[in-house]
Amino acid sequence: MSKYLLNKFLFTVDRDPELVERYREDPAATVAMWEDAYANRLLNCVQEESSTWLRLEEAERAALVAHDYPALFELGAHPFLTLTLFIAMFERDHGPMGFQTEYARRVAHISMPYPDIAT
Amino acid sequence: MAELVAVIASTHHPFYYRASTATGDDRPPFADEWVRKVEAFRETLTKARPDVLVMVGSDHFHQLWLDNMPQFLVGKAPFYDANFYNEEREFGLPKMLCRGQEDLSAHLLREGIDAGFDLAFSNELRIDHSITCPIITLRPQNDLPIVPIYTNIFAPPLPRPQRFVQLGQTIRRMVESWPSDQRVAVIGTGHLSLELGGPRQFGPTGPDPVFDRKAVEWISSGDLEGCLSEVTLDSLHLPGNATHGFMDFMLMMGVAGEGRKADYVDTYDLFHTMEAYFTWYPAGGRP
C-alpha cells in the first residue's frame, strides 16, 4: 500500500486548476500521465532530483481511475484531500450541498473504526 | 514586559465569509444570527486593545506536506500572504496579506526551543483559513501584525493532547516574558466534533452533539484535568474523523490556564458543525 502516493495524487491535482479539470474529464489518461510525470517528483526539489521508487498499487490506481471515492476512503487515503478534490470536480453538478450529502450516503456503509490514514 | 491582554479560542468555519457577505436569495437563513454572534465575539477582542496577535491554527495540507511535516511550526516573516486557490474555489475566501511581528516570532522560537519544544520555523509561509477565518471574524480590518503558529492535527502521527496543553502553557509564559511594551492577544482556532469525507459529514448538526456540549463545558470552565482525563488521540476518532482539531482548543485552554473560567462564551448550532467562541481576560473579568 502506498497511501502516501495516493495522497500525493490528491494533493497535487487539487491545487492545480488545470489538473482538476483534466482529472474530471479523463481520469484514466490523467492518472497515467500523473504517474509518469508527477509521482516521483519531490515537490521542493528540481526535476533532476526526483525520486525513483514510487508507484501506485493496482487497487489504488483503479480507485483513482474510477473516481471511486468510497474506495479511496477504504484504502486509507486522507479523507480531507479526497473530499476537497471531489467537491472541486463534482459539486457543480448538484444543488447546494447536494454533492456533500450524496458523498456521505455513498460512504455510509463504512463503520468505526475507519481505515487507518497514517502514512 | 509584554502584556497578555486576551486569550481567544474559536472554531474556524470557512463558510462564514461567504454566508456573511451574501445578499438576497443567496443569503442563508442562519447568516444574520451568525453575524450578530460573530460581531459580539469580535467586540471581546476589540475591547482588549491588542497591538499584536499570536495566531494558532493548523495548515490543511496547503503549504505543509507529508514529505516534510512539522508537528509545531512558528512563522517568522515580515509578511504572510494568505488563502489558497482551493479555499477561494470552495469557500470563496479572498486573498489576503498580513504583516508579521518578526521580533516576537524570534522570541517564541528561541524561548520555545529552550523550553523543550523543538519548533520548526518558516521564513516564507502562506497562511490558510485556520488563521484567516479568525482574522475575518475578529479583526476584519486586518491591521495588526501577527505571529502564526501551526500545529499538526491532521497528519498522523500527531502529538498527544497533553503536548498541545503544554505548548499552550509555554506560549503564555513566553508571551509574558517578551521584552516589549506591546499588548498581545493569543487567538487559536480548532474544531469541536467534525467529520470530513466520512459518513457523518454535513449532517444537520455536528456529528456528535454530546461531545460538543461536553467540550464547551470543559473549555468554558477551564477544566483541563477533566478534559485530559477523557480525551486521547484514540478517543478523538469517535466524535468525528476530523475532531483532532479539538486539540487546538486544548492548547488554548493551556494558554488560558487550569481552572480559569472563560469570561465570554457563546455557541451556535449550525449544520455540519457547532460554532464555539471563548474569550479570557488574563488580568481579570474585563480588559
Side-chain angles (χ1 to χ4, degrees):
Chain A
M1 291 264 287
S2 50
K3 281 184 280 185
Y4 166 69
L5 193 58
L6 207 47
N7 288 341
K8 188 176 178 180
F9 177 92
L10 300 167
F11 173 72
T12 53
V13 172
D14 179 66
R15 57 184 19 217
D16 182 330
E18 190 198 328
L19 281 180
V20 170
E21 293 310 309
R22 283 171 73 179
Y23 181 46
R24 172 184 156 99
E25 297 307 323
D26 190 349
T30 307
V31 172
M33 177 283 298
W34 186 88
E35 262 201 284
D36 185 49
Y38 287 80
N40 279 284
R41 191 75 196 267
L42 260 173
L43 301 181
N44 206 22
C45 296
V46 296
Q47 182 87 44
E48 291 69 25
E49 289 157 357
S50 292
S51 301
T52 57
W53 50 273
L54 290 152
R55 187 153 199 284
L56 291 167
E57 302 278 332
E58 190 47 52
E60 295 168 336
R61 189 178 299 116
L64 289 175
V65 167
H67 284 161
D68 187 349
Y69 56 84
L72 293 172
F73 191 99
E74 292 182 275
L75 288 165
H78 199 292
F80 180 85
L81 291 170
T82 312
L83 176 67
T84 304
L85 175 57
F86 278 76
I87 284 176
M89 291 195 294
F90 299 118
E91 184 181 35
R92 67 186 87 163
D93 302 331
H94 298 73
M97 286 295 139
F99 178 68
Q100 287 86 339
T101 45
E102 176 183 302
Y103 194 114
R105 277 198 303 278
R106 284 197 55 201
V107 294
H109 60 285
I110 299 166
S111 56
M112 302 282 291
Y114 296 162
D116 182 15
I117 62 165
T119 48
Chain B
M1 293 299 160
E3 186 182 355
L4 178 64
V5 294
V7 178
I8 293 188
S10 171
T11 43
H12 62 252
H13 201 313
F15 291 115
Y16 175 77
Y17 179 77
R18 183 182 273 161
S20 64
T21 55
T23 56
D25 290 346
D26 292 335
R27 192 169 177 88
F30 49 81
D32 289 348
E33 177 65 1
W34 200 1
V35 169
R36 191 193 65 71
K37 282 175 176 281
V38 162
E39 287 180 351
F41 187 34
R42 180 182 307 155
E43 188 57 24
T44 70
L45 176 66
T46 308
K47 272 185 195 162
R49 295 180 290 110
D51 301 311
V52 184
L53 307 176
V54 173
M55 309 285 299
V56 179
S58 301
D59 179 80
H60 298 66
F61 286 139
H62 283 123
Q63 183 171 341
L64 307 183
W65 176 239
L66 298 169
D67 61 355
N68 190 1
M69 180 57 78
Q71 300 295 0
F72 299 114
L73 177 144
V74 176
K76 182 183 177 294
F79 293 96
Y80 302 94
D81 284 294
N83 293 332
F84 288 76
Y85 144 69
N86 66 0
E87 298 174 301
E88 193 177 356
R89 182 187 71 200
E90 188 175 346
F91 311 128
L93 288 173
K95 297 276 198 293
M96 294 166 66
L97 176 66
C98 301
R99 267 189 307 134
Q101 182 79 35
E102 273 198 273
D103 54 349
L104 179 54
S105 294
H107 173 76
L108 295 180
L109 282 162
R110 181 68 266 155
E111 297 297 316
I113 292 166
D114 291 347
F117 285 89
D118 296 329
L119 300 167
F121 66 92
S122 172
N123 293 144
E124 187 180 5
L125 188 67
R126 188 176 188 96
I127 53 180
D128 81 358
H129 73 267
S130 67
I131 288 177
T132 58
C133 285
I135 291 172
I136 288 166
T137 54
L138 292 163
R139 194 77 183 186
Q141 61 271 50
N142 185 23
D143 60 339
L144 297 179
I146 67 167
V147 174
I149 300 180
Y150 270 151
T151 68
N152 176 18
I153 49 94
F154 216 57
L158 309 178
R160 294 189 191 279
Q162 178 76 50
R163 193 67 173 153
F164 282 75
V165 173
Q166 288 166 346
L167 180 58
Q169 293 164 334
T170 304
I171 288 171
R172 172 152 188 169
R173 282 196 295 275
M174 295 190 297
V175 166
E176 291 179 332
S177 70
W178 181 35
S180 161
D181 58 1
Q182 305 269 304
R183 298 167 64 85
V184 182
V186 182
I187 300 171
T189 69
H191 300 294
L192 303 182
S193 71
L194 182 64
E195 177 109 335
L196 293 171
R200 296 172 287 172
Q201 72 175 0
F202 293 102
T205 66
D208 190 341
V210 174
F211 175 86
D212 293 347
R213 278 198 295 278
K214 203 184 275 188
V216 169
E217 180 57 31
W218 284 326
I219 301 166
S220 53
S221 62
D223 184 9
L224 264 175
E225 192 182 335
C227 186
L228 280 166
S229 72
E230 289 194 38
V231 174
T232 66
L233 288 178
D234 282 340
S235 80
L236 285 172
H237 289 288
L238 301 174
N241 71 346
T243 309
H244 290 85
F246 180 65
M247 293 194 292
D248 282 333
F249 273 111
M250 297 181 74
L251 186 155
M252 295 311 298
M253 291 169 73
V255 179
E258 168 80 53
R260 187 65 169 76
K261 286 188 173 49
D263 294 298
Y264 181 90
V265 180
D266 197 12
T267 62
Y268 192 31
D269 247 321
L270 286 177
F271 76 98
H272 181 45
T273 178
M274 179 192 258
E275 285 284 271
Y277 310 132
F278 307 88
T279 302
W280 293 262
Y281 295 117
R286 285 287 170 262

